[in-house]
Amino acid sequence: MSSPTARLLAVATAAALLATGAPAQAAPAAAPTAQTADSTDFTSGPNLFAPLATCYGGAVRSFFQTGGYGGQAGPYRTTTRCRDINVRNASAYGTDACVIFIDKTGNCNYWTYLPANSGWVTVATDVRDGVNFRVRFETVRYEYEPLVAYHAF
């Protein structure tokens, strides 16, 4: 068996190494609209897996208390972290999502279906860095359950 001093040293060294990872941060273009009641960065706190960070490391959460017929999240600004805009639906029902490039238009690029509790789905490809956008959601029927989505860009 190893000595208590060696175990303590190993634990302290591992904790110090894990705590040095910098958290991945999303880059919202401005404050969220009233429709996105909570647009919190769900990666707050130290990122204990900084070397394994991916495009999804700085994902932003959108929460709509009642899914209703949908809504909008944003505005956001694309970053160097991802080439695409990706959305993950964490709701109990499917929804459609599109991207609105707000500096150019008020219309959607195209609709993409996100199944219930989906993985990451690309809703806009090869988007330049520094582009302002919103994500619009539309449901097939009125939903009383919350709509929860994550955006990585």
Side-chain angles (χ1 to χ4, degrees), residues 2-124:
S2 62
S3 71
T5 305
R7 278 186 272 161
L8 179 61
L9 180 61
V11 169
T13 303
L17 289 173
L18 289 174
T20 59
Q25 297 293 320
T33 64
Q35 289 177 325
T36 54
D38 179 16
S39 184
T40 308
D41 180 359
F42 76 95
T43 60
S44 61
N47 181 356
L48 300 180
F49 302 100
L52 302 176
T54 66
C55 169
Y56 311 120
V60 176
R61 177 178 179 248
S62 292
F63 179 81
F64 301 84
Q65 188 67 34
T66 300
Y69 287 106
Q72 290 191 139
Y76 304 114
R77 181 184 299 266
T78 56
T79 64
T80 57
R81 192 173 40 254
C82 303
R83 283 186 47 187
D84 304 326
I85 298 172
N86 303 281
V87 178
R88 182 172 68 87
N89 179 12
S91 303
Y93 52 88
T95 186
D96 289 312
C98 72
V99 174
I100 303 167
F101 297 103
I102 54 180
D103 293 337
K104 301 289 182 187
T105 183
N107 298 323
C108 286
N109 59 342
Y110 51 85
W111 288 100
T112 303
Y113 180 71
L114 304 172
N117 298 307
S118 72
W120 290 101
V121 177
T122 301
V123 292

